[in-house]
Amino acid sequence: MTQTDATGTTQGPVGAWIRAGVGAWIFRILLVIAAALMAYSWLQPWWSADVAIFKGTDDLVLHPWGIETIRQVRAAADPDLYAMPWFFAPFTWTYFVVAMLALAASLFVPWTISLGRIKLPLAAVLIAVVGLSYLITVGLAYGIGEMRAAAVDTSFIGKSQFTDPMSSRKIKMVSDLRDGYWYALYAGVALFFLALVRGLFIRKPKA
């Protein structure tokens, strides 16, 4: 249990967490900012495409959990060309929730783990795993996009054209990465970097 001494100072793990030095609090603030950037990037479009025959833009929009399309695209195109497997969205959302919980836990866990003779703070490991996994997610999103585009003889980035299976006519399309993709990349780099420099902000307590 957390107790207070005669001066009213909080004792125990909670008290130690509150009384952490300036460096620890700076690190926590930086980690919260990086986690917020990750959450923001997750909710933003990562890629979009404008198909010339349809009015407006963003006819196809790629999110980390799948592709969103307008009604005309759904009516004219085979869903197998752009849709992800049914388990993809639940899996990616589960990953995101677990990643956020891991970052939140890293603010509080005081333990270390041993890798042979090397002892590492569990908090730093959690942050590094989340950062690295998010960078992998960013890379996979680009790779999957390239493969899906190649399957219909189009370019994932830039101007291209494809053959409409209904009318056999050539249709122009312009696609590009959105800001959310770059925010996700920056968030992954920031988290991994923070994991590497955590020891500069949070010192191991003296025995």
Side-chain angles (χ1 to χ4, degrees):
M1 295 177 62
T2 301
Q3 299 177 345
T4 57
D5 60 18
T7 62
T9 302
T10 304
Q11 302 296 312
V14 175
W17 192 86
I18 295 174
R19 296 192 307 274
V22 175
W25 279 104
I26 291 175
F27 181 84
R28 292 167 185 169
I29 292 172
L30 292 175
L31 180 59
V32 169
I33 292 173
L37 179 60
M38 177 178 174
Y40 179 76
S41 70
W42 183 267
L43 300 175
Q44 298 302 305
W46 285 15
W47 170 92
S48 65
D50 176 24
V51 182
I53 63 172
F54 302 132
K55 292 182 178 180
T57 57
D58 296 347
D59 300 316
L60 293 94
V61 178
L62 173 66
H63 296 280
W65 59 89
I67 294 183
E68 178 184 357
T69 62
I70 62 173
R71 178 177 55 82
Q72 293 92 327
V73 172
R74 293 194 299 272
D78 182 355
D80 290 339
L81 297 177
Y82 59 83
M84 300 300 293
W86 65 268
F87 60 83
F88 186 79
F91 174 80
T92 53
W93 275 105
T94 299
Y95 158 77
F96 175 72
V97 172
V98 171
M100 288 291 105
L101 291 175
L103 292 178
S106 72
L107 293 170
F108 303 97
V109 293
W111 307 298
T112 60
I113 60 175
S114 298
L115 298 176
R117 296 183 178 180
I118 301 175
K119 290 186 177 181
L120 298 173
L122 178 57
V125 173
L126 290 174
I127 298 168
V129 168
V130 173
L132 184 59
S133 66
Y134 205 43
L135 289 174
I136 293 174
T137 299
V138 171
L140 285 175
Y142 192 97
I144 292 173
E146 284 280 7
M147 288 190 297
R148 287 298 181 94
V152 291
D153 296 324
T154 61
S155 299
F156 183 57
I157 304 298
K159 298 181 179 179
S160 58
Q161 63 179 11
F162 62 95
T163 303
D164 181 5
M166 303 292 291
S167 62
S168 298
R169 62 176 174 170
K170 295 291 185 178
I171 298 176
K172 294 181 179 180
M173 183 178 75
V174 179
S175 54
D176 201 1
L177 295 174
R178 300 284 293 271
D179 289 344
Y181 182 88
W182 301 110
Y183 293 151
L185 179 63
Y186 302 152
V189 171
L191 288 169
F192 191 72
F193 177 76
L194 286 175
L196 295 178
V197 301
R198 181 180 182 274
L200 300 179
F201 292 87
I202 301 178
R203 300 292 184 178
K204 183 179 179 180
K206 295 181 179 180

